[in-house]
Amino acid sequence: MTRFLLPSPIKELLRARNQVKSHYQEILLQQNSQAELRFTLDGNLIGDIGEAIAVELFGIKLVHRKAAEGIDGYAPDGKTTVQIKATGTGRGPVFRNTKIRADHLLFFDLDFDRMEGTVIYNGPEHYALSLLPSDFSGQRMITRKQIVTANECVLSKERLPRRPHPTTQRTTEA
């Protein structure tokens, strides 16, 4: 797994989120409350951030939103279809049972407190999908442990190469 720094605009968003979290946590403490509000960023915002990071780190060319369910973009070769998933909760990726499947999957874990992200999975989507039932309705999640294990099975030649970029320069292998 590769860690990377989140770009400046996302850091600013997260700083604002962290200030809101601290502000209300202080109010709860003043009221002797044991509750903790997490102010987790969810849904479309996290998905959009994941797609933006994929563009920046891997040069993915995004498709029009309605173009193809199950495909978010194309690798720099212009042929390889890519599905992009992201989480801000530390859990695994969630999939829908779509008719079209991508050739490749990128899955990012975004750590809001550290203001960094981790590429949890970078490989052919079929390895991850093999962990799901062949037929299901609604949404199904692959656990974090399962997706990490699937990533360990990906050969280096099957991974999309990272593009060097100044805003996400610092990386470490985890």
Side-chain angles (χ1 to χ4, degrees):
M1 291 183 285
T2 304
R3 293 179 200 253
F4 56 92
L5 297 176
L6 294 175
S8 229
I10 295 172
K11 285 182 179 181
E12 291 173 30
L13 172 70
L14 295 177
R15 281 188 193 99
R17 172 257 183 194
N18 291 344
Q19 288 175 339
V20 169
K21 182 179 173 184
S22 294
H23 173 80
Y24 285 105
Q25 192 60 40
E26 184 62 32
I27 290 172
L28 290 170
L29 287 173
Q30 290 169 4
Q31 295 177 353
N32 293 320
S33 173
Q34 298 295 320
E36 181 178 345
L37 299 174
R38 297 182 62 209
F39 293 95
T40 303
L41 304 172
D42 292 325
N44 290 332
L45 179 60
I46 297 301
D48 287 351
I49 290 171
E51 289 180 12
I53 287 170
V55 168
E56 190 171 27
L57 294 183
F58 295 95
I60 302 302
K61 182 177 181 193
L62 297 178
V63 297
H64 184 269
R65 290 257 177 236
K66 304 287 183 194
E69 186 181 33
I71 295 173
D72 294 314
Y74 289 88
D77 67 9
K79 299 175 196 169
T80 305
T81 58
V82 181
Q83 172 77 284
I84 302 159
K85 302 277 184 192
T87 185
T89 63
R91 289 182 257 176
V94 176
F95 293 87
R96 288 190 176 98
N97 194 2
T98 59
K99 291 179 183 175
I100 300 172
R101 293 297 187 180
D103 300 317
H104 203 85
L105 172 66
L106 292 171
F107 175 56
F108 306 111
D109 184 6
L110 308 175
D111 186 325
F112 301 141
D113 296 322
R114 291 177 148 171
M115 296 194 191
E116 67 180 21
T118 304
V119 180
I120 300 293
Y121 186 89
N122 173 2
E125 188 179 43
H126 67 84
Y127 292 147
L129 294 176
S130 71
L131 301 168
L132 294 171
S134 58
D135 189 34
F136 64 91
S137 61
Q139 297 181 351
R140 290 286 173 100
M141 182 175 68
I142 295 174
T143 67
R144 181 181 177 93
K145 183 177 181 181
Q146 287 175 311
I147 198 70
V148 166
T149 300
N151 187 62
E152 292 169 356
C153 296
V154 177
L155 302 174
S156 59
K157 68 180 181 179
E158 295 177 298
R159 298 187 190 282
L160 292 179
R162 282 241 353 233
R163 295 176 8 166
H165 196 278
T167 64
T168 55
Q169 199 63 35
R170 190 194 110 223
T171 62
T172 58
E173 294 297 319

